[in-house]
Amino acid sequence: MNSEVRHAAQVLRAGGLVAFPTETVYGLGADASSAEAVARLYAAKGRPSGHPVIVHFASAEAAFAYAREIPPAARRLAERFWPGPLTLVLKRSPLAKDFVTGGQDNVGLRVPSHPVAQALLREFDGGVAAPSANRFGRISATRASHVVSEMDAEFVLDGGAPEIGIESTIVDLSSGKPVLLRPGHISRAQLEEVLQEPVLEKGAAAPRHSGGLERHYAPQTPARLVAPHALDTEILKCGLDIAVLAFSKPDERVDFWIRMPRDPQGYARRLYAALRELDGAGCGAILIESPPDTAEWDAVRDRLQRACG
Ligand code: TXA
Ligand code: MG
C-alpha cells in the first residue's frame, strides 16, 4: 500500500484525480489549491459548479489553516472527534479559494481517520478537495468497485468496505450558533454533550450544499418508504416486479429482497451497497421498510428519505 499511496500523492500533485477510502464513504480527491484540478473534479462528478466541496487534511492543525476564525466550539469538537467522521464549516482563510467554497465565505473541513486516507493526506501534505466518489445525485460509493464502475479517476486506492458507510456529520460553526447541516454517525446528542449547548436544525438561511437538495443519494429505480405494518399490503398492490429492503423476510413473495441489520450502525454500514444491489435488480420499484422513529436512526432516516426523493 505504501508505494500505491506515494503514487496517488503524485497523481494529486500533477493535478489528477484519486479515489480513496475514508471511514464514511469513498472520496474522489483533487489538490484543493489547484483551480484546474478542482474543475476536473466537478466535471468527473457531473456536479454543478457553485456547490462547495469538503477539504480533507491529515491533522486539525493543517485543517484550521484554511479557517480565519476558529471558535472554541470548533477546537472542542476537533479535539474530541478528529480524526473521524465529522466535517466542520468555518469562516474561510485566504487559502480556501472560491473554487472549493462555491464562492461562499465559509469552508467545510474534515480530518478523516481511515488509515489509507491518513497516509495519503500525510504524503500529499496539503488540502485534498473530495466529494463522495459517485456521480452527482447518485448513491455514494462504499466499495472501490463502485467507484471504478461510474467515475473517471486516474487512480483508485482500495481500502475495502468503510466502517461507517454513510457520509460525515456536518456542523456549521460559521455563524456563532452550531447548526447541524447533515446528520451522521456522530449524533446531535454527542455534539451537544461536548459543546454544552443546543445544536440547531438547519434552517432556510443555511448555506448551499448539495446534500440538502431534495433528491440525493438516489437509486435510479423509484424507491418508497413503507411503514412495517403496511409492507405486505404494499407488496401485493405493486405486483411482482419489486425489490424490498426490510428487517425481516416479507410474508408476500417478492423478486428480490435484502435483510437489513436492526442496529443503526450496522444498517448504515450496509446501506449504500444494498441500495446499489436493489437498483441493479432491474425491478420496477424499490420498497423500503421504515426504520424506527427514534433519534439513533436520524442519519439513516435522512439518507433513506433522500433516496426516496
Ligand atoms: O463523509 C464525507 O463527508 C465524504 C467523504 C469523502 O469525506 N464526503 C462527502 O462529500 O460526503 P460530498 O461533497 O458528497 O458532500 C458534502 C456536503 C455537500 O452537500 C456539500 O455541498 C456540503 O457538504 N458542503 C461542503 N462545503 C460546505 C460549506 N462550506 N458549507 C456548507 N456545506 C458545505
Ligand atoms: Mg455526496
Side-chain angles (χ1 to χ4, degrees):
M1 189 50 93
N2 273 350
S3 67
E4 287 177 49
V5 165
R6 272 198 301 278
H7 176 67
Q10 223 130 50
V11 171
L12 288 176
R13 274 184 219 111
L17 306 181
V18 169
F20 61 98
T22 81
E23 67 279 19
T24 58
V25 298
Y26 277 74
L28 183 67
D31 179 354
S33 69
S34 161
E36 295 78 45
V38 174
R40 204 168 295 147
L41 185 61
Y42 277 69
K45 249 194 97 83
R47 188 185 230 184
S49 59
H51 280 278
V53 67
I54 297 172
V55 189
H56 298 64
F57 301 88
S59 69
E61 195 195 347
F64 284 154
Y66 264 59
R68 71 169 182 278
E69 266 173 42
I70 303 148
R75 289 197 190 281
R76 282 204 291 275
L77 290 178
E79 180 127 324
R80 170 70 180 77
F81 297 115
W82 277 354
L86 176 69
T87 296
L88 297 178
V89 173
L90 299 176
K91 287 191 176 132
R92 68 166 164 177
S93 80
L95 290 174
K97 307 289 188 202
D98 279 346
F99 52 81
V100 292
T101 69
Q104 301 180 78
D105 193 33
N106 53 44
V107 61
L109 305 172
R110 173 153 136 72
V111 178
S113 62
H114 193 290
V116 176
Q118 271 288 324
L120 176 66
L121 291 164
R122 275 198 304 268
E123 177 74 24
F124 178 65
D125 197 22
V128 172
S132 51
N134 53 283
R135 299 280 303 168
F136 182 66
R138 302 297 316 288
I139 302 165
S140 292
T142 50
R143 303 284 186 280
S145 60
H146 297 164
V147 183
V148 173
S149 71
E150 67 179 58
M151 303 298 297
D152 257 333
E154 268 94 342
F155 196 64
V156 180
L157 287 166
D158 189 346
E163 211 172 300
I164 290 171
I166 55 172
E167 306 82 353
S168 61
T169 305
I170 306 182
V171 182
D172 182 5
L173 293 169
S174 68
S175 58
K177 298 237 179 286
V179 180
L180 186 65
L181 295 186
R182 181 171 71 186
H185 178 80
I186 295 172
S187 68
R188 177 198 299 271
Q190 280 176 293
L191 298 167
E192 290 179 341
E193 191 191 318
V194 171
L195 293 176
Q196 291 294 305
E197 67 175 307
V199 172
L200 309 176
E201 268 312 323
K202 73 166 182 265
R208 217 176 20 238
H209 68 123
S210 51
L213 295 177
E214 281 289 284
R215 196 174 152 79
H216 204 68
Y217 315 112
Q220 269 159 347
T221 315
R224 206 143 47 81
L225 275 165
V226 180
H229 68 267
L231 192 59
D232 284 313
T233 8
E234 283 303 313
I235 292 170
L236 272 181
K237 261 198 247 167
C238 289
L240 268 185
D241 184 25
I242 201 162
V244 172
L245 195 67
F247 292 104
S248 56
K249 188 173 193 306
D251 290 335
E252 296 302 330
R253 229 196 95 208
V254 291
D255 283 354
F256 189 75
W257 80 283
I258 293 177
R259 183 196 302 274
M260 293 299 281
R262 287 190 181 271
D263 68 296
Q265 281 78 29
Y267 194 109
R269 199 175 298 132
R270 180 85 181 85
L271 178 59
Y272 288 144
L275 283 177
R276 281 171 182 266
E277 283 171 54
L278 291 170
D279 211 9
C283 293
I286 296 172
L287 294 183
I288 302 173
E289 182 177 5
S290 298
D293 198 20
T294 54
E296 54 171 358
W297 287 89
D298 278 354
V300 163
R301 204 179 314 109
D302 170 78
R303 303 311 190 277
L304 290 178
Q305 278 163 356
R306 292 175 200 282
C308 293

